[in-house]
Amino acid sequence: QGHIVHNWKARWFILRQNTLLYYKLQGGQRVTPPKGRILLDGCTITCPCLEYENRPLLIKLKTQTSTEYFLEACSREERDAWAFEITGAIHAGQPGKVQQLHILKNSFKLPPHISLHRIVDKMHDSSSGIRPSPNMEQGSTYKKTFIGSSLVDWLISNNFSANRLEAVTLASMLMEENFLRPVGVRSMGAIRSGDLAEQFLDDSTALYTFAESYKKKISSKEEISLSTVELSGTVVKQGYLAKQGHKRKNWKVRRFVLRKDPAFLHYYDPSKEENRPVGGFSLRGSLVSALEDNGVPTGVKGNVQGNLFKVITKDDTHYYIQASSKAERVEWIEAIKKLT
């Protein structure tokens, strides 16, 4: 987020031993020299940062001089990985702290064969899922809710978690990904604590409900909207790439998200507040190929820096995309090919 005009811009970050450098991006390439630097000595880090309700993937850094930086990642995994490495750099002179971090990082991992979507599907199962019911808190009745401790019990009994600590972490993940939402004073208060381990309460007085977006998805086959189906797939790859516009042919940095089951490639505007794709297409029947660097191919205009590739959809729409390196281009092409 910019300091003077509080808009959001895509930046290329490099973490050094005690400094976080950030660069402008142009045509998918970083522009030198760095646009700015954040000195990590004496910094404090908040992750997850919940100061922006519609931006769940934020990290906040506060320097020794009380300057605040808000940084947004592409995914929860990427956010947590950056936060972990930055925290390690802040505490580089304290080996004990770094060791603690490694223990914390490896303490809980979702088994690879379990997806959050699968867990939520099972939670909605009419016979073995969680049944929301009216619950009271501080004199108010909340319809279609369930208590935190009963969700923890359910996650353990269905073998999604080995113990209560793991179940609380998993429930926090479900909230972060907007499958669940807190209801009432107790659970809403926990969200503001800023501590991931304490965001979800294993408590008989804290209330939760299913997120509206998921209710819409499961209500009936007729009501499933196309966008909900498109966005329900498992994310297999994401990152920033430059894309040529269809009308003005200008190049803009977009956050691309590749999903499977169903196979779709969506792209998001990193400067927009809402986390909705600005475009996307099905990969079924698509063709993807690298474009040679010698000369600008037909159909490509403007500031081209190489590492181009093209996706042609089943309906013959051509998408021209630039990666920031040859290696990144190869990775994207291979990942897309597997889903076409």
Side-chain angles (χ1 to χ4, degrees), residues 232-252:
S232 66
T234 306
V235 174
V236 292
K237 185 172 176 58
Q238 56 187 316
Y240 289 98
L241 299 165
K243 176 191 158 293
Q244 181 178 263
H246 285 294
K247 291 176 183 171
R248 294 176 59 199
K249 306 291 183 190
N250 55 340
W251 290 89
K252 288 185 177 173

Side-chain angles (χ1 to χ4, degrees), residues 31-100:
V31 179
T32 53
K35 177 77 176 161
R37 64 189 69 232
I38 303 169
L39 294 174
L40 297 176
D41 188 30
C43 248
T44 56
I45 182 169
T46 305
C47 179
C49 170
L50 303 167
E51 292 188 28
Y52 289 84
E53 194 177 328
N54 57 350
R55 289 183 177 269
L57 303 176
L58 285 187
I59 296 169
K60 178 171 131 182
L61 291 175
K62 189 171 182 179
T63 67
Q64 259 187 332
T65 57
S66 295
T67 305
E68 292 185 343
Y69 292 88
F70 292 93
L71 316 175
E72 183 178 40
C74 293
S75 66
R76 185 181 52 76
E77 290 80 8
E78 190 177 82
R79 180 202 65 190
D80 293 349
W82 271 101
F84 176 76
E85 297 298 344
I86 292 168
T87 307
I90 292 170
H91 298 303
Q94 300 167 269
K97 273 270 179 110
V98 176
Q99 190 178 6
Q100 269 183 328

Side-chain angles (χ1 to χ4, degrees), residues 1-2 5-9 51-58 70 72-73 178 255 268-278:
Q1 185 189 52
V5 180
H6 292 317
N7 55 348
W8 295 86
K9 291 178 179 172
E51 292 188 28
Y52 289 84
E53 194 177 328
N54 57 350
R55 289 183 177 269
L57 303 176
L58 285 187
F70 292 93
E72 183 178 40
N178 297 318
R255 177 167 65 86
Y268 299 72
D269 183 344
S271 66
K272 287 278 197 299
E273 290 290 334
E274 70 273 6
N275 196 30
R276 286 199 301 266
V278 292

Side-chain angles (χ1 to χ4, degrees), residues 4-288:
I4 300 166
V5 180
H6 292 317
N7 55 348
W8 295 86
K9 291 178 179 172
R11 292 286 183 251
W12 182 267
F13 280 80
I14 294 178
L15 178 61
R16 295 258 168 89
Q17 190 171 354
N18 61 352
T19 312
L20 190 59
L21 303 172
Y22 55 95
Y23 298 79
K24 268 189 171 183
L25 281 168
Q26 201 169 64
Q29 301 282 334
R30 66 183 162 116
V31 179
T32 53
K35 177 77 176 161
R37 64 189 69 232
I38 303 169
L39 294 174
L40 297 176
D41 188 30
C43 248
T44 56
I45 182 169
T46 305
C47 179
C49 170
L50 303 167
E51 292 188 28
Y52 289 84
E53 194 177 328
N54 57 350
R55 289 183 177 269
L57 303 176
L58 285 187
I59 296 169
K60 178 171 131 182
L61 291 175
K62 189 171 182 179
T63 67
Q64 259 187 332
T65 57
S66 295
T67 305
E68 292 185 343
Y69 292 88
F70 292 93
L71 316 175
E72 183 178 40
C74 293
S75 66
R76 185 181 52 76
E77 290 80 8
E78 190 177 82
R79 180 202 65 190
D80 293 349
W82 271 101
F84 176 76
E85 297 298 344
I86 292 168
T87 307
I90 292 170
H91 298 303
Q94 300 167 269
K97 273 270 179 110
V98 176
Q99 190 178 6
Q100 269 183 328
L101 280 169
H102 278 282
I103 293 166
L104 183 68
K105 185 182 183 187
N106 297 318
S107 63
F108 176 77
K109 283 182 180 168
L110 195 62
H113 63 283
I114 294 175
S115 74
L116 293 181
H117 281 277
R118 188 189 149 207
I119 293 170
V120 179
D121 282 339
K122 192 153 185 184
M123 284 170 69
H124 281 280
D125 188 281
S126 56
S127 58
S128 60
I130 289 182
R131 290 180 188 161
S133 59
N135 282 288
M136 282 194 72
E137 186 202 23
Q138 296 185 7
S140 298
T141 301
Y142 298 93
K143 294 178 181 177
K144 294 185 177 177
T145 56
F146 42 85
I147 60 176
S149 53
S150 56
L151 176 56
V152 169
D153 293 341
W154 183 89
L155 289 168
I156 295 169
S157 64
N158 282 274
N159 299 316
F160 289 120
S161 307
N163 53 52
R164 300 194 84 79
L165 179 62
E166 283 192 8
V168 167
T169 310
L170 183 49
S172 296
M173 287 182 189
L174 290 166
M175 273 206 309
E176 279 190 273
E177 300 297 332
N178 297 318
F179 290 115
L180 303 177
R181 63 181 180 84
V183 176
V185 179
R186 282 277 290 136
S187 56
M188 291 295 286
I191 283 285
R192 298 187 190 100
S193 73
D195 184 347
L196 177 64
E198 295 171 9
Q199 276 186 38
F200 184 90
L201 296 176
D202 178 7
D203 194 299
S204 60
T205 63
L207 303 180
Y208 299 89
T209 188
F210 293 117
E212 289 296 325
S213 58
Y214 197 85
K215 283 184 195 170
K216 192 168 103 177
K217 179 186 162 188
I218 62 150
S219 55
S220 74
K221 283 189 177 175
E222 290 73 32
E223 288 179 28
I224 292 177
S225 66
L226 180 62
S227 61
T228 307
V229 174
E230 285 181 19
L231 299 171
S232 66
T234 306
V235 174
V236 292
K237 185 172 176 58
Q238 56 187 316
Y240 289 98
L241 299 165
K243 176 191 158 293
Q244 181 178 263
H246 285 294
K247 291 176 183 171
R248 294 176 59 199
K249 306 291 183 190
N250 55 340
W251 290 89
K252 288 185 177 173
V253 172
R254 294 288 181 251
R255 177 167 65 86
F256 279 78
V257 178
L258 181 64
R259 293 179 172 90
K260 68 174 183 178
D261 304 324
F264 271 85
L265 185 61
H266 292 99
Y267 47 95
Y268 299 72
D269 183 344
S271 66
K272 287 278 197 299
E273 290 290 334
E274 70 273 6
N275 196 30
R276 286 199 301 266
V278 292
F281 48 92
S282 170
L283 291 174
R284 191 175 293 279
S286 294
L287 296 170
V288 58

